[in-house]
Amino acid sequence: SLTEAAKIKSLPERLDFLLAQDDKAGALARQIIYGALSYAARRVPEISDSFVSIDRAVRWGFAHEAGAFEIWDKLGLAKTAAAMEKEGFIVADWVKEMIAAG
């Protein structure tokens, strides 16, 4: 699945593809991506109240193509939160409230 994912140029499409795989690469992608999203959401407002600042720190500090909240936005907030909970990851209460509020 990694070889196939590498052929996908669009980050959201590539991540969607990897997260859907039922192999070791998919399991690893879910652990890393969902773990990072869960952690970043739980650190608001401890680290920063600004999602942009957190995303910039991730992009600039780790040379990532997108920050945690940008990735979450690209994947779809509600869909990704549901997938995270299904995999056993904590979704911050404020995220659940935002989803419930539409």
Side-chain angles (χ1 to χ4, degrees), residues 3-18:
T3 301
E4 291 303 311
K7 297 175 186 176
I8 302 171
K9 297 223 184 262
S10 164
L11 178 62
E13 291 175 17
R14 188 169 58 245
L15 292 177
D16 269 336
F17 174 83
L18 276 173

Side-chain angles (χ1 to χ4, degrees), residues 22-33:
D22 190 24
D23 61 6
K24 289 180 182 180
L28 179 62
R30 287 186 294 279
Q31 288 296 311
I32 292 170
I33 294 167

Side-chain angles (χ1 to χ4, degrees), residues 39-92:
Y39 176 78
R42 290 191 328 266
R43 297 289 68 89
V44 172
E46 180 184 339
I47 294 173
S48 175
D49 288 334
S50 168
F51 303 121
V52 172
S53 295
I54 294 171
D55 282 343
R56 284 181 181 158
V58 170
R59 284 195 331 265
W60 298 345
F62 297 99
H64 287 200
E65 190 173 328
F69 298 106
E70 292 169 315
I71 289 171
W72 213 333
D73 188 46
K74 291 174 189 296
L75 294 175
L77 181 62
K79 176 184 107 174
T80 304
M84 288 169 61
E85 286 186 319
K86 182 180 175 189
E87 292 284 329
F89 289 90
I90 297 169
V91 175

